[in-house]
Every structure is written in structure tokens, then in C-alpha cells.
Amino acid sequence: MEAVRVRITVNGEEHVKTVPTCMTLLRLLREELDLTGTKEGCSKGECGACTVILDGVPVNSCLVLAYQCSGRSVVTIEGLARDGLLHPVQEAFVRHGAVQCGFCTPGMIMSAVALLDANPSPTQREIREAISGNLCRCTGYKAIIEAIDDAAQRMAGWVDSQAADEARV
Amino acid sequence: MKCTDQMWHPVGARAPRVDGVDKVTGRAVFGADLTFDNMLWGQPVRTRYPHARIISIDKSRAEAHPGVVRVLTTADVPGSKTFGVVVPHQPVLCWDRVRFMGDAVALVLAESREAAREAARLVQVEYEELPSIFDPEEAIGPDAPTLHDEYPGNVAAHHVVRKGDVERGFAQADVILERDYTTQLIEHAYIEPEAAVALPGPGGGVTVYGSIQNPFTCRRAVAGVLGLPLARVRIVQNHMGGSFGGKDEVMSAMCARTALGAQITGRPVKIVNTREESLVESYKRHPYRMHYKIGVRRDGRITAMEVRMLADAGGYASQSAFVTWRSTVQATGPYVVENVKTDIYAAFTNNTYTGAMRGFGSPQAIFANESLMDEVALELGMDPVQLRMVNGFEGGSVTATGHKLDEHTVSLKEVVRKATEAAGWDGKRARLPEENQGKATRRGIGMACSFRGCALGAEGVDAAAGIVSVQTDGSVLVFSGLAENGQGLKTIFSQIAATELGITLDRVVFMETDTSTVPDSGPTVASRSTIMGGSAVRIAAQKARDALFEGAAAKLGAEPGELAAENNEICVAGDPARRMRFDDAVKIAWNEGRLMAQFGWHGAPHVNWDEHTGQGKAYFTYVYACQVAEVAVDTQTGQVVVERMTAAHDVGRAINPQSVEGQIRGGVAMSTGYGLLEEVELNEGITKTRNFDEYLIPTAMDVPEVRPIIVENADPYGPYGAKTIGEPTCELGAAAIANAICHASGKRIRALPMDMERVLLGRTLRPMRGRRGSEAR
Ligand code: FES
Ligand code: FES
């Protein structure tokens, strides 16, 4: 098995690992870096449980090889909360009952965060499309869609109030 | 990051999930997330034939493979070689015969998952193929080979109902209809594949962690296989990535294999199924063939019903006897029928075995029965709702099994009225056919209603335990013998404990279910958690509270019975000025040496059943539901879109309305998949749909808009009047959709799933041979 050295930034922290060329990003995260928040549901790009954000874009980490991520930056579910504060999307998921078994949740949240980063005020349809690659068997999706919608509005409010604060200074 | 906010969330409040923060941060630990030092990976070697005799197993090449530590076969099993709830006949590792494609013949233990997988391919098994049966009708017919010696004729179960005289009933009828309905094989499709890790010890025993739905059932299997006393086997449940009834026997097998490996090697052993393995190995929902004959008078009154159903049990007994029993009780629906003759069979075949899945024998029967009711209404020129009102249960009605419904509010007609009114039934039913004129996309509205027995009923002993332990600082531990499977049990039980103690949810810590901590409380099935386990936790919390009240009463100058607890305070009821902090009451009780850890045990009220006549009080109470589907049918492609589903459910009392709504939405999504999309395709016993690219479940683009309506009629037997919600939500949607499709297009579809081929052509285009369930006709 050929091995390769990978220099990768995960949640702001740089790691250097020597891994087999066939190792997926998902396995690198879960097995080499102990970041087990990212889940494996199908290993085939069909369920979205393994979604992480790679250089700003949501990807199925089961379909990306670890060595392809050398020099790149990954954000996982463990990297969202800051200083003990939940990301607005995480908070909205709890508040809206968007979590049942929670297995789809990390991937779902990463898809939602990537969506809101790219499109801060999505329509319901855009939200549905953005998470259409993330399967959930428990919730029927409605609470998830509401949570993302609510997070978008709060984040917009938060950005506005920050802008207003800055303007005042 | 706080686990919950510090608000007072008594029973009835929309409390946020107590495990929510762990789950949104990735901290929640699931079975596959566990790793231990020195851990081995296990890989089962599965059969290559659906039915064969094992001639020999040569493991030498596999054992020589780098990284392989051992290859185990049945010869290494110290205890029982089989397990099972109804009959213990399912092999943990097969030795003489394999009966379906998920059977395992050996277990490779290796240092890495890769090495274990590679070596599994090197185990040489010589088989002699045996004649297989894939058609349940053939299986119980004359010339079929016997699959299990203890079941001659391959009949895995047979239940009857005999009430009145059907011949007389049919003679009284003005109209008699006979119809056949079929349903398909489906997969639970929990997003988390099965996972387990076993550790040797303590004290010569084993500890197993994993995605285990029923820790006590699993413990019996593991202890039996290892030949250990129950007390030496500890099963600890991790967070569960969904189960829906699906992580029972398949987990007993997986846990027994990991435990065997751990006991023999003295090292931790882990097994995780891939999605493909999960689809092949795990049991599924039974496909049914159902024949109904119904007699009705012109005024709509049902005079007789005769029902025959045949369920495909697959290779092993699993829960087929219980699943088909529930179908027996509910076969004629929530209607008063004087004359009933029902026969329900389950047959062994060499297909993937079938067992518990959310609904448990009801989705099939309801699809048939509620489709039939609409066919009758059409025949009589009657509104479908009207027909249900003529025949539906009300207080004092007697069920087909002879149970007089006089101990709870029979709310069938209430839920039908509420759902149909909210959906705008009358207007749409009349208006849509006109609006559809000349259009390619036609809209329709259809309904279905149901009753469902709560908890296990006459299936078996029904009791559960709970422990509430108040700590000296006022925080509280809650233990339950029933398990969180994702449905929200931890939150509901925490809310119950918090309500009785009068504290906020942030003080409550719900412990993972651990078989060495709480008594055997039976399985977490049959939507029995709240009504059984919730009652047990309530009893325990009340006892703990009483201990606190006794200490507090003296200080407050009142009798213990005069006190009330709320929002972290204890006060004299009606005189809130006389109060103290909960924490202070705890200190007093502690200093006075009072017992603040209490135990609750709750047994179900008496039920009874005569298996020869199918008469008895099958369940101690029932829930009632009505769902109304609104669909759009593209008559050019056959595509059906469920646009809206109005779902009215009597839950007795909603302990947490947010959680109830979540169950309704999830259940409706699941029944939409059952109705339109899902089918595990088997070809001569071999699974063709092996991952989510072929096995389609609803995505965010496929789910209807759901309007949940919570109806509350408190039940005398439930905690705070609460009953059941998990399963009822997903048992009647497919029938409502079928009825709506018929209203839209005039086409009656009597087979699931109602995919484009069936809607457009009335049949499926896929090859017939070797397939089962819906495509049988
Ligand atoms: S595990 Fe990657 S998409 Fe399912
Ligand atoms: S919450 Fe269970 S799969 Fe989404």
C-alpha cells in the first residue's frame, strides 16, 4: 500500500499525517484525528452523513481521498462552536426539535452552514435543495428546514446589528 | 455549552431535547465511534447461497493472512449455538445449514478492518446447494422442502379470529366485495449501520457497547451463546442512530459475535456493518398478501368480513408470530363487525428474514383494510368518511376480538372529524374532480383511519422499571430499563422526573441504558416507552419527592400532603409564601438520613387472549388516528406527489408536544416512502438493492407538508393520561395515499409501492421470477 504525507488544516489546526493513498478524508478524520462527530452511513456519497466543509464547499468526505486535501482546509461539526457558544445553526437545530436520533445531524448541519455561508437568505426551496443529499429517517425534514430558516434570519440580524455597532463606533 | 436551558418544563411543555446539544456538536458517541486499545476487528463470513448444506469450512488460508488473529466457527461457541426471542433457532455462526443470504458461517478476527475483510474472502466453505423456496404460498404448499424441523409445513405462525357466523353475515349483505392487496419488503433504513464493541471483563464476563435497541434481549442472547450467567454480561447502549424496530435480532447476532471474540482472545472486538452488509443481513418489514371479503348493506353497515393474510417470514422466526398477531387483532380495522373470520399465516422461505418494524404488522393490514373501505364506499356511492362514521368504533363498541371498549375515550370519530375538517375534505372531495377535467396533473384527496393497541398486549409480560436518584446537591440521575432509540425517550422521561420533583430539566441527567444497573424492563418496542417506562419513572420520582416532602413539611409547618413542588421550589399548596428551595429540602432530607434514590415498577393491566377463537381483551387500551392525504398525479408519467398530509392522532396526553409533532412528521415521511418509493428487491433470495442509490427513501424534496393535529383524551392507564405515538404515525399513510390516488385518477392500486409503473400501467415492469411480495400478481 502506498503512503503519502498529508498536511491538512482541520478546524483551524494544522495536522501532518502519513496515510495510505486510498484513505478517505472521512477515515482520516474519524480514525487518525479522532474526530468522530462526522458520521458514516453509506460510504458511497448517498446519505450525506459524512458531509464536511472543504475550502468553503460542502463535500461527502467518504468520496474524497485524504491526500487530495493536502494544503487545504476542512471544517467539521466539532469546529463550529466557538468559545463555548453554539453556532446559530446548531442552536436552531436544538430549539426547533430538528434532532431526533442525531445521526444525520452533523452532516445536515454542515450542509446548512455551507448553504448559509454562500447564500445568507435562502428560500425554503433552496434550503430543501441544499439538504436534499442528506438523508434523515427520523424527522420528516420539516423541523430541519425551519431550523435552517430561523438560523438564517438570526444570523442576518446578528450581522446587521454588528454592522450597526461598527457604524456607531 | 449548557445541556438544556434552565426553564421550568413540566409535562406538557415543549422542552428541548436533553441530548440535543451533544448531538449538534458531534459529541454524542455512537457505536461505531468507540475505539479501545488493543482492539480487534471482526468480520463475519457470509454464505454464498440462500439455502445450502455446509460440507466443510477450511480456515487455514484465512488464518495465515497477515494481521489475522483467529477465525472462529461454531466449534468455538461455548454455550448455545443459537438465539431468538420466540424460538431460539437462529445460529450465531451456522454449522450444518444456511437459510438466507445474511447467514454467517465464520468470524474473522484481525488487527485491522482491512485485514479482516481480506481474510474473510479466504475462508473456503464447501456447500451443497439445497432446493430453495422464495414464494411463501409455495412454502406452505404440498411439495415444499422443510426449512426448520421444528416447523413442519413451514408455517411460522397462524392466528385466527372467529366471531359470529360469516356465512350468515354475507347472506345479510346487499353488496359483497372480494379484493386482494399486497405489500412489499422494506428496510428500516436507519442512517446508522449496526455497530458493536465487546470488551472482556469484568470478572470473567463481557461488556458490550453498541447500537442496541433492546439491551435485555441482547443480553439473553450474548449470555446464552457464551454460556455465562446474565449477571456477568453487561450491555450498555450508546446513542442510537435510529432503529424503528430494526436493531433487535441483528444486534443480538452482532453482539454475540463480538462477545465471543472478546472472550476467546481476551481483547476488545468491534464489528461495524457497511450499508451493503446491513441491507443483506438485517431483517425487514414483512411483505403481505391479503385477501379480503366484505359484506355490506345498502346503508353502509358491514355485515361480515373474511380475511386471509400470508406474511413472508424469511429464513428465521424472529418476531413473525407477534407481528402477525397484531395484524390479526387489527385486520378488520376500527369497525364494528359482528361476523368475522380471520386467518393469518407467516411462512418460512429462503428470503431475508422479517421481523419488527415500526408499525409491527399494522401498516400492511391497514393498507388493505382502508383501501377496501374506500372501494366499498365507491360501490355504494357513499362518501368514504360517511362509511367510516356508520361503522366506526365509539364508546362501548366491541372489537372483532370481543373486547368491549369502555375503559377509555374511544375517539375514532373525533380524529376523523378533526382531520377531515382541517384538510377541507367536503369541499375538495366535491371540487377536485371538476377541476381535474382536461388536465394532465390531477389532484385528489383520500383518508384512512385506524385504531392501535398500546404496548405489548397479550403478546407477553409487560412491565418496566425506573430509578430516580436525587443527589446531595439537588441534581438528579434517572435510569430506565427502556432505551432511547432516537425517539426522544430521554427527554420525555427526564421531563416526567422533573415534573414530579418540581425541578428544571438542567438538573436531570438521564443515564444510558445499562443492563447491570436497572432491572429487565422488556424490549423498547410497541410504542410502550411512555406508557410503561414513563409510568415507572413517575412512580420512582414521586417516591423520591415524598421523602423530600417529609423533611420539608416540618420546616414549613405543614403536612407533607399539603406541599407542592415547582420550578426548583417546594411550597405549601395555596400558600406560596411558605416555601423553600429544592436544594434546601434535599439538604434536610440528607441530614435526616432519608432515602432519596427510589425505584419504580409498573406492570400493565390485565389482558387475555384465547388463541383458538381469537377472542379476548387483546390490549389494555388503544389509540386512534386519521390521516388525510392530498396528492397530485401526473397522468402522463404516473408520478405521484403527496402535497399535504393532515394527521390527527389521539395520544392521550402529549408529554412534550414538540416531540409528538416530530414523531408525526417522521412517521408520515416514512409512510410516504412505504406508499410510493421503497422496496427491497430480492432475486432468488439475493438482495439487489444494496445501498441508498438503489433503495430510495424520501429526501427533503419528497416529503409532503404535514399538518399534525394532537388530540388529547387522557387514558386512565397512562402517566398523566399519555398513551402512544411512535408507531401509529406511520401505519396509515400508505392507505390514505392510495385512496387519494384513486380519487385523483380513478385508478385503484392494490399493491405497494405505488410507483410510476403501477400508477401508469397498473403493473410492474420488472421480471417476475424469484421476486416476492407485491409483484406476486
Ligand atoms: S457516508 Fe458519505 S455520503 Fe454516506
Ligand atoms: S435525526 Fe435520525 S436520521 Fe435524522
Side-chain angles (χ1 to χ4, degrees):
Chain A
M1 213 168 356
E2 280 175 66
V4 359
R5 238 159 80 97
V6 178
R7 178 185 299 273
I8 183 172
T9 305
V10 179
N11 301 331
E13 210 179 301
E14 195 178 81
H15 300 268
V16 180
K17 289 271 170 191
T18 303
V19 301
T21 46
C22 63
M23 178 177 270
T24 61
L25 173 59
L26 175 61
R27 284 196 55 190
L28 175 81
L29 294 171
R30 287 181 57 84
E31 292 171 23
E32 300 292 319
L33 304 179
D34 263 339
L35 294 170
T36 54
T38 306
K39 301 301 176 201
E40 180 165 16
C42 71
S43 329
K44 218 182 170 183
E46 295 293 336
C47 75
C50 64
T51 307
V52 298
I53 299 178
L54 177 61
D55 287 342
V57 179
V59 295
N60 289 326
S61 61
C62 69
L63 294 183
V64 178
L65 291 172
Y67 80 84
Q68 295 174 313
C69 302
S70 213
R72 303 173 74 181
S73 169
V74 174
V75 182
T76 72
I77 190 73
E78 290 92 345
L80 289 184
R82 285 285 151 75
D83 310 323
L85 275 185
L86 295 180
H87 185 283
V89 173
Q90 291 174 308
E91 205 193 312
F93 266 58
V94 176
R95 202 177 34 245
H96 285 267
V99 179
Q100 286 189 27
C101 81
F103 199 79
C104 71
T105 307
M108 199 67 88
I109 289 178
M110 297 318 287
S111 289
V113 168
L115 167 71
L116 299 187
D117 285 347
N119 175 4
S121 46
T123 62
Q124 289 260 338
R125 174 145 196 109
E126 285 168 332
I127 295 174
R128 276 178 198 269
E129 271 165 13
I131 60 164
S132 64
N134 294 82
L135 296 177
C136 174
R137 191 59 153 170
C138 301
T139 63
Y141 302 102
K142 173 73 174 175
I144 293 173
I145 295 162
E146 281 172 2
I148 297 171
D149 194 38
D150 184 32
Q153 289 175 27
R154 282 175 195 248
M155 284 164 77
W158 185 75
V159 172
D160 287 352
S161 69
Q162 267 214 331
D165 282 352
E166 273 163 27
R168 231 174 284 129
V169 177
Chain B
M1 275 174 277
K2 293 185 313 251
C3 275
T4 48
D5 52 26
Q6 286 152 15
M7 271 168 59
W8 165 234
H9 284 294
V11 160
R14 303 176 77 88
R17 284 184 73 108
V18 297
D19 51 3
V21 173
D22 279 351
K23 286 177 173 175
V24 298
T25 52
R27 287 194 313 226
V29 174
F30 294 76
D33 301 339
L34 290 171
T35 311
F36 295 91
D37 285 344
N38 206 25
M39 187 178 82
L40 295 173
W41 280 86
Q43 175 62 46
V45 180
R46 296 209 169 77
T47 168
R48 276 185 286 123
Y49 302 99
H51 193 202
R53 189 167 302 292
I54 300 169
I55 307 291
S56 65
I57 301 174
D58 176 0
K59 47 188 194 174
S60 55
R61 280 182 63 203
E63 277 184 329
H65 190 72
V68 172
V69 172
R70 288 262 320 237
V71 178
L72 305 180
T73 63
T74 198
D76 299 296
V77 175
S80 167
K81 296 183 186 310
T82 55
F83 66 93
V85 176
V86 178
V87 252
H89 72 174
Q90 194 169 339
V92 64
L93 295 170
C94 297
W95 63 95
D96 62 338
R97 204 162 153 191
V98 290
R99 291 180 178 84
F100 90 106
M101 291 302 293
D103 268 336
V105 296
L107 177 69
V108 176
L109 301 173
E111 302 288 347
S112 71
R113 197 176 184 180
E114 284 63 42
R117 288 235 175 99
E118 288 156 11
R121 287 192 282 271
L122 302 176
V123 175
Q124 309 277 303
V125 186
E126 197 186 329
Y127 296 97
E128 175 199 330
E129 251 192 289
L130 295 171
S132 306
I133 334 167
F134 304 112
D135 183 307
E137 202 70 71
E138 281 170 26
I140 56 170
D143 308 311
T146 300
L147 295 186
H148 295 279
D149 295 339
E150 67 277 25
Y151 286 99
N154 296 322
V155 177
H158 177 207
H159 303 290
V160 304
V161 173
R162 299 284 182 264
K163 185 190 183 202
D165 175 352
V166 280
E167 292 317 319
R168 202 185 58 215
F170 287 125
Q172 292 164 352
D174 296 315
V175 175
I176 293 176
L177 289 191
E178 283 195 65
R179 293 289 185 271
D180 290 293
Y181 303 91
T182 59
T183 64
Q184 78 283 37
L185 181 74
I186 76 160
E187 159 68 22
H188 308 80
Y190 28 75
I191 308 299
E192 176 206 30
E194 305 82 6
V197 192
L199 271 61
V206 283
T207 303
V208 190
Y209 298 88
S211 56
I212 301 157
Q213 179 187 333
N214 297 319
F216 292 98
T217 317
C218 182
R219 183 176 67 160
R220 265 191 295 281
V222 171
V225 167
L226 297 191
L228 288 174
L230 293 175
R232 293 239 178 262
V233 176
R234 180 174 168 220
I235 308 286
V236 186
Q237 194 204 30
N238 293 109
H239 281 289
M240 292 275 286
S243 181
F244 316 109
K247 286 173 175 165
D248 194 337
E249 282 89 348
V250 66
M251 289 312 302
S252 291
M254 181 178 274
C255 292
R257 290 171 192 153
T258 56
L260 182 66
Q263 203 190 32
I264 286 176
T265 62
R267 295 172 64 176
V269 173
K270 178 173 182 174
I271 301 180
V272 180
N273 269 350
T274 62
R275 177 61 54 186
E276 286 80 3
E277 289 178 295
S278 173
L279 265 148
V280 171
E281 185 190 10
S282 72
Y283 57 90
K284 319 259 176 266
R285 179 185 283 169
H286 296 69
Y288 272 44
R289 295 179 191 172
M290 296 167 280
H291 181 82
Y292 273 73
K293 181 177 177 186
I294 186 169
V296 287
R297 290 203 314 245
R298 279 270 155 249
D299 63 2
R301 270 264 165 235
I302 300 170
T303 59
M305 278 178 95
E306 193 173 334
V307 184
R308 180 185 185 270
M309 298 189 190
L310 175 60
D312 185 347
Y316 294 102
S318 177
Q319 318 256 340
S320 286
F322 296 150
V323 170
T324 48
W325 181 70
R326 185 175 280 276
S327 319
T328 310
V329 177
Q330 294 176 208
T332 50
Y335 306 112
V336 177
V337 190
E338 303 285 348
N339 305 296
V340 179
K341 179 168 183 275
T342 303
D343 284 271
I344 303 194
Y345 299 86
F348 287 116
T349 64
N350 296 111
N351 291 315
T352 308
Y353 73 121
T354 45
M357 179 173 175
R358 191 179 188 182
F360 206 77
S362 67
Q364 300 94 330
I366 293 173
F367 171 66
N369 188 65
E370 285 299 281
S371 296
L372 179 67
M373 288 301 278
D374 263 42
E375 297 207 53
V376 168
L378 191 66
E379 191 74 24
L380 295 176
M382 211 169 171
D383 182 272
V385 172
Q386 184 56 31
L387 182 67
R388 267 94 172 173
M389 289 303 184
V390 169
N391 294 288
F393 287 158
E394 37 191 53
S397 292
V398 178
T399 68
T401 73
H403 179 185
K404 187 165 188 213
L405 304 174
D406 55 4
E407 290 178 284
H408 62 273
T409 307
V410 178
S411 56
L412 180 76
K413 294 184 179 177
E414 181 184 353
V415 291
V416 170
R417 219 173 294 118
K418 286 192 165 147
T420 50
E421 270 173 28
W425 174 270
D426 287 340
K428 287 176 185 162
R429 196 72 194 175
R431 202 178 64 232
L432 288 175
E434 284 167 37
E435 289 178 6
N436 285 333
Q437 294 289 334
K439 293 209 184 111
T441 299
R442 302 166 68 99
R443 294 201 149 70
I445 183 167
M447 55 87 67
C449 57
S450 66
F451 80 127
R452 178 185 186 86
C454 298
L456 296 176
E459 238 179 65
V461 180
D462 206 346
I467 298 171
V468 171
S469 176
V470 179
Q471 308 299 300
T472 51
D473 64 352
S475 60
V476 173
L477 290 170
V478 176
F479 302 80
S480 167
L482 297 180
E484 168 75 58
N485 292 325
Q487 78 278 44
L489 176 150
K490 288 182 185 178
T491 308
I492 299 301
F493 286 15
S494 299
Q495 233 176 316
I496 289 175
T499 299
E500 294 302 333
L501 292 167
I503 55 176
T504 48
L505 269 182
D506 56 303
R507 290 167 174 255
V508 181
V509 175
F510 188 95
M511 299 303 290
E512 307 276 75
T513 303
D514 176 339
T515 55
S516 294
T517 316
V518 263
D520 190 338
S521 298
T524 306
V525 298
S527 306
R528 67 190 278 269
S529 310
T530 302
I531 198 163
M532 298 302 302
S535 294
V537 167
R538 186 186 191 191
I539 293 166
Q542 282 172 340
K543 289 202 230 163
R545 181 201 61 198
D546 289 348
L548 297 178
F549 278 7
E550 274 171 32
K555 282 275 179 307
L556 293 172
E559 290 300 314
E562 293 175 290
L563 301 188
E566 195 180 297
N567 205 5
N568 300 328
E569 287 189 331
I570 291 174
C571 68
V572 180
D575 185 5
R578 284 152 72 199
R579 66 216 286 180
M580 69 166 60
R581 296 190 318 138
F582 179 80
D583 295 351
D584 293 332
V586 170
K587 273 190 206 114
I588 293 169
W590 173 249
N591 288 334
E592 293 176 355
R594 294 182 191 280
L595 177 61
M596 295 189 293
Q598 296 282 358
F599 191 82
W601 181 250
H602 179 70
H606 180 70
V607 289
N608 61 74
W609 184 254
D610 178 334
E611 61 184 78
H612 300 293
T613 58
Q615 295 295 293
K617 185 176 176 183
Y619 297 93
F620 60 84
T621 192
Y622 299 83
V623 288
Y624 302 89
C626 177
Q627 294 187 351
V628 181
E630 294 172 64
V631 303
V633 180
D634 183 332
T635 53
Q636 280 162 352
T637 62
Q639 191 179 22
V640 176
V641 175
V642 183
E643 295 183 323
R644 213 163 294 110
M645 188 78 96
T646 307
H649 288 268
D650 187 344
V651 297
R653 169 95 191 271
I655 307 269
N656 182 334
Q658 187 177 63
S659 173
V660 172
E661 286 168 11
Q663 286 292 313
I664 293 176
R665 293 206 162 97
V668 167
M670 206 176 243
S671 62
T672 306
Y674 187 47
L676 300 181
L677 300 172
E678 297 178 32
E679 176 157 22
V680 174
E681 290 183 33
L682 293 181
N683 188 355
E684 312 236 302
I686 295 169
T687 310
K688 294 291 167 194
T689 35
R690 295 167 75 97
N691 206 321
F692 288 129
D693 50 348
E694 290 155 325
Y695 189 80
L696 303 180
I697 65 171
T699 70
M701 307 298 282
D702 302 313
V703 290
E705 180 196 324
V706 180
R707 191 183 304 142
I709 300 173
I710 300 175
V711 177
E712 296 184 289
N713 289 294
D715 193 278
Y717 292 130
Y720 314 94
K723 297 201 262 199
T724 297
I725 188 61
E727 292 174 280
T729 59
C730 85
E731 63 187 4
L732 64 171
I737 295 168
N739 291 339
I741 292 174
C742 187
H743 184 235
S745 68
K747 283 191 187 169
R748 170 56 55 186
I749 301 171
R750 301 190 183 92
L752 295 181
M754 299 176 282
D755 54 18
M756 288 158 78
E757 295 164 7
R758 282 216 176 85
V759 175
L760 194 62
L761 308 171
R763 65 189 164 86
T764 174
L765 293 175
R766 285 159 293 176
M768 303 291 276
R769 190 172 145 59
R771 303 195 53 224
R772 65 185 218 166
S774 318
E775 58 291 326
R777 47 197 99 231

